[in-house]
Amino acid sequence: MIVAEALEALWSLGVAVLIWLALIVTSLVLAVEALAVAVCVAVRAAWRLVRGERRLRPSWALRGRTARRYARTRPDYDRAA
């Protein structure tokens, strides 16, 4: 009887340890993911500071000859001027 109670206590202790390990591993994975997102955001912000804002193409300059012509224009070029 004493052995059965000891095995039951050991079993319940093992289950509790596994639950705690699962919680710790989950929190570590979430922390690493949050750190990766923070690093990615910081790198993108630093890249924008260094390289400037991306110039988005208008819909007419997505393909073909107009795309090549648009690519040759300077970013500060103003068609209306």
Side-chain angles (χ1 to χ4, degrees), residues 58-72:
S59 61
W60 56 266
L62 292 177
R63 288 184 212 85
R65 186 177 57 214
T66 56
R68 288 188 295 275
R69 184 179 62 196
Y70 184 79
R72 287 193 304 263

Side-chain angles (χ1 to χ4, degrees), residues 12-79:
S12 61
L13 181 66
V15 169
V17 166
L18 286 178
I19 290 172
W20 275 106
L21 283 176
L23 288 173
I24 290 170
V25 167
T26 303
S27 64
L28 285 176
V29 166
L30 289 175
V32 167
E33 286 181 356
L35 183 65
V37 168
V39 166
C40 183
V41 167
V43 166
R44 287 180 61 114
W47 185 257
R48 279 202 177 149
L49 283 176
V50 171
R51 299 287 295 168
E53 197 67 31
R54 272 189 52 211
R55 184 170 65 138
L56 298 177
R57 290 177 180 239
S59 61
W60 56 266
L62 292 177
R63 288 184 212 85
R65 186 177 57 214
T66 56
R68 288 188 295 275
R69 184 179 62 196
Y70 184 79
R72 287 193 304 263
T73 60
R74 293 191 319 262
D76 58 345
Y77 177 73
D78 187 13
R79 288 190 186 278

